[in-house]
Amino acid sequence: MTPDLRRLVRYFLRLGATGFGGPIVLVEHMRRDLVDEHGWISAEEYRDGLALSQLAPGPLAAQLAIYLGWVRGGTRGATLVGLAFVAPSLVMVLALSALYVRLGGIPWMVSAFYGVGAAVIAIIARSAFVLARRTLGRDRLLWGIFAVNGVVTAWTASELLWVLLASGVAVMVVRGHHPRIPLRTVAPALALPVGLLGVGSTLHAQLFFFFAKASLVVFGSGLAVVPFLYGGVVETHHWLDDRQFLDSVAVSMLTPGPVVITVAFIGYLVAGPGGAAVAALGMFLPVYLAVVLAAPYYHRIRERAYIRAFVEGVTAAAAGALAGATVVLAQRAIVDLPAVLIALVAFALLDRRLKVPEPALILAAGVAGVLLKA
């Protein structure tokens, strides 16, 4: 392992163990730490990784981490960085899952989530605004696409793939770019999604394929997968009840790292440690394969005008969808006046001049929630 790759793996191991606040916050951490502070990743490499991560389905933060690992170490780098980023939160979720099953639920977690949820909404809201402002600039077309996708996501409580793709096409048309993409370049990209549409016969296979399909409908943010998971886990398969599903969301908010790690908690409740393992594998394996397979080709076509235009549209759409998902989650997390006050205080404390670390803010919000509910 090269020195550059070694320190990158150590960084993502630390970020996976301490990074709270969801995908937008984690992505901002990567930019600030790796580009601005340490200079381990160039601004151009970061922008390319962010664009590819927003273009391909899957949780944004995990995709970007895997891509940056690929930049520094190829497939080996992508593998090591991906494992380092996901492993800490996975271990924490497995421990909480075992405790949850043993105790028949974790009452204090519900109270903590009352405060944590409000604080996380504040973190996401501020980060979403900052990311959109930096990404979209003053382009009225992109801000219009941002607004449309935000409203659609908030209204439907889900992220619609066709709206996201249509946004990219709309920017290509308005910018006057006309791509010519032969079928042989599209076919490999379709192979992975088509291969994951099968249904397994065993419970473990059903979990794997369900979460693999879930990873293919997430664009930009793991937060947007919550409505999809609820429909499948609670309403279709009846693996969990409403209370258990809400507890699984609480676990994802209380642990650092990718928000979609909540799938491991769901898998554990359904089929024990093996269920947790296949659920996590189903969520992250398609993400890993998509980045590793697409990255070399993306590097060859990234400068083409139609690619840039399409990525601009998809990026604006993904940012809008994240803002819409914030509204959806806020409706569930901020349920009364004390929760509103927690969110407002957290939002104020996120001012850069105060330099309040997100983990400390999350911990304080959780304690506040326990005290208020007690």
Side-chain angles (χ1 to χ4, degrees):
M1 188 188 304
T2 65
D4 286 347
L5 180 56
R6 187 179 298 111
R7 64 187 181 186
L8 199 63
V9 169
R10 285 199 300 264
Y11 169 79
F12 277 104
L13 188 63
R14 183 174 69 254
L15 183 64
T18 61
F20 288 89
I24 306 174
V25 177
L26 294 174
V27 165
E28 177 63 13
H29 271 305
M30 295 179 206
R31 184 199 63 78
R32 185 184 63 197
D33 299 338
L34 299 178
V35 179
D36 294 346
E37 183 176 343
H38 297 299
W40 296 344
I41 298 294
S42 70
E44 182 181 9
E45 289 170 336
Y46 177 85
R47 285 195 301 268
D48 287 342
L50 183 61
L52 177 60
S53 301
Q54 291 171 324
L55 180 62
L60 179 66
Q63 285 177 308
L64 182 56
I66 293 171
Y67 177 84
L68 296 179
W70 179 86
V71 167
R72 284 294 168 265
T75 301
R76 183 187 185 193
T79 304
L80 293 175
V81 166
L83 290 174
F85 185 49
V86 173
S89 56
L90 178 59
V91 171
M92 295 179 196
V93 168
L94 289 175
L96 287 173
S97 301
L99 184 62
Y100 184 95
V101 171
R102 185 175 182 85
L103 299 179
I106 306 179
W108 64 263
M109 184 181 294
V110 178
S111 300
F113 179 62
Y114 171 81
V116 168
V120 167
I121 294 302
I123 294 173
I124 294 172
R126 178 175 283 275
S127 299
F129 175 74
V130 172
L131 182 61
R133 184 176 59 186
R134 290 177 176 173
T135 304
L136 309 182
R138 297 184 178 181
D139 192 308
R140 294 182 179 180
L141 172 62
L142 298 183
W143 277 106
I145 289 175
F146 171 89
V148 169
N149 280 267
V151 171
V152 169
T153 302
W155 182 265
T156 63
S158 62
E159 195 170 15
L160 302 180
L161 175 59
W162 70 267
V163 177
L164 191 82
L165 298 179
S167 299
V169 173
V171 174
M172 284 197 301
V173 172
V174 173
R175 300 278 198 257
H177 302 304
H178 305 285
R180 296 178 179 178
I181 306 177
L183 181 61
R184 66 177 180 272
T185 64
V186 178
L190 296 177
L192 178 62
V194 171
L196 292 174
L197 292 180
V199 178
S201 57
T202 68
L203 180 57
H204 283 172
Q206 290 176 5
L207 285 168
F208 175 83
F209 285 115
F210 172 76
F211 289 114
K213 287 185 285 186
S215 73
L216 297 176
V217 302
V218 183
F219 274 80
S221 170
L223 299 172
V225 79
V226 170
F228 179 88
L229 291 181
Y230 178 83
V233 171
V234 178
E235 297 183 350
T236 301
H237 294 289
H238 305 291
W239 287 330
L240 304 181
D241 58 30
D242 286 345
R243 179 70 267 164
Q244 290 172 320
F245 183 80
L246 290 176
D247 289 345
S248 72
V249 177
V251 168
S252 71
M253 292 292 185
L254 287 171
T255 55
V259 173
V260 292
I261 201 63
T262 187
V263 302
F265 185 86
I266 295 173
Y268 193 102
L269 296 188
V270 176
V278 297
L281 185 63
M283 176 58 68
F284 290 104
L285 181 59
V287 175
Y288 166 81
L289 293 176
V291 172
V292 171
L293 295 177
Y297 181 71
Y298 178 73
H299 265 247
R300 293 197 296 270
I301 66 172
R302 61 183 177 177
E303 297 301 332
R304 296 182 185 179
Y306 70 86
I307 290 294
R308 287 295 184 186
F310 184 80
V311 169
E312 283 183 356
V314 171
T315 300
L322 291 176
T326 303
V327 174
V328 174
L329 290 176
Q331 293 174 340
R332 299 167 182 172
I334 303 178
V335 294
D336 53 22
L337 181 57
V340 172
L341 294 176
I342 292 175
L344 291 176
V345 171
F347 192 87
L349 292 175
L350 287 170
D351 191 299
R352 283 190 172 184
R353 292 170 293 184
L354 299 178
K355 297 182 179 180
V356 177
E358 285 89 358
L361 188 62
I362 292 291
L363 179 61
V367 172
V370 171
L371 293 177
L372 286 171
K373 287 299 181 180

